[in-house]
Amino acid sequence: MDFKDLTYVLAIAKYQNITKAAESLYITQPTLTKFLQNLEKQLGQKLFKKLGNRFVLTYAGERYTTYAKEILTIKKELDQEMGDLNHNHTGVLKIAFPVMRGTYMLPCTLPVFHKLYPNVKLDILEAHSHLLEGMILNGDTDLAFFNLPVKSINIDYEIISHEEVLLVLSASHPLANAGIAREGCKYPWMDLSLMEKEHFILQIPGQRTRQTVDRLLKANNFTPNVCLETSNIHASVELASKGYGACFVTETHLKHVHLDSPVVRFSVGSPCTTVDFAAAYRKGSYIPYHAQEYIKIVKEFT
């Protein structure tokens, strides 16, 4: 058994299809089929059962892939640490962002990083924030950037910034001037009870800002009149700017949304509602020097 064997089995498990797995590995389908047959004969165990055109892991296959991921992760970290000791900044760094955050963070950070470390290849992944922890634990990404909290005890993180979650209304809304100055608030403070009859555009329940908003609403015994749930943060702010409803968005996101119609923003909560934006990685994993440098670059642009 070698590292190639582990990679081949993981590809079959990922795609559940020999042809697609072979294409991802840049080998032929017969070559991969023969490899799997030989490996299962050598192990004396079936790693996959075939259901139609799908290759589904057996129990032995699940145990094999669990260890395969661990072994390949250890190898990658060893290579990274040896590279750091040799001051040889090469390799691949896998980074994941929530979709909205990636739209403005990647253009700001990737050119700077590439100039400093031209021999490090960045693999960029974008996914909804509720999927990012699983991607870290599965080894699909080395770093993921998202708002806390972290649910898994097997993930560590470094806080990048603190930012406020704001209530956003159209500048022409009747309550546009209802905010008041309040100590501890950067923005005019809005009493949520004033919004009792208003429509709200909320993110889908799995998204982290939505989870923060749900806690805010519960703490204020406030049940919103939800007219729309969407994962598209940009669209929710655009709709709010046109008077379709009120929405909640972090101030960093709002800075990077360019609108045709103006909006007003309010602090909400006691006295305001904040979240921590963090760089997260698997607990106990080796963080190579160039990954630490990328975190610093993200901090500078946040």
Side-chain angles (χ1 to χ4, degrees), residues 24-71:
S24 74
L25 296 166
Y26 301 102
I27 61 175
T28 65
Q29 181 267 330
T31 298
L32 188 57
T33 299
K34 186 175 182 181
F35 155 80
L36 181 59
Q37 292 171 344
N38 291 338
L39 178 62
E40 290 181 331
K41 183 177 180 180
Q42 174 189 338
L43 295 173
Q45 295 279 354
K46 283 284 187 183
L47 300 182
F48 297 91
K49 55 186 175 183
K50 194 170 181 184
L51 299 177
N53 292 324
R54 296 170 55 225
F55 281 72
V56 179
L57 288 168
T58 63
Y59 176 73
E62 291 175 356
R63 301 306 300 151
Y64 187 101
T65 54
T66 296
Y67 283 106
K69 290 176 182 177
E70 291 293 329
I71 291 167

Side-chain angles (χ1 to χ4, degrees), residues 97 101-112 126 294 301:
F97 278 100
R101 188 82 67 164
T103 59
Y104 58 83
M105 288 303 304
L106 296 177
C108 292
T109 60
L110 295 196
V112 176
E126 293 181 278
Y294 186 76
F301 284 94

Side-chain angles (χ1 to χ4, degrees), residues 164-224:
E164 192 171 343
V165 176
L166 303 173
L167 172 68
V168 176
L169 292 176
S170 164
S172 61
H173 193 282
L175 294 173
N177 296 311
I180 61 174
R182 185 170 177 180
E183 186 177 353
C185 296
K186 288 193 291 183
Y187 303 88
W189 182 81
M190 172 74 82
D191 183 344
L192 281 177
S193 66
L194 298 176
M195 300 290 296
E196 183 179 9
K197 297 181 180 180
E198 304 302 320
H199 292 96
F200 282 84
I201 307 157
L202 298 183
Q203 292 178 309
I204 60 175
Q207 288 180 268
R208 288 173 183 270
T209 300
R210 171 64 185 272
Q211 293 167 8
T212 300
V213 168
D214 284 346
R215 290 192 293 271
L216 164 70
L217 298 176
K218 184 177 180 181
N220 285 269
N221 296 312
F222 184 84
T223 302

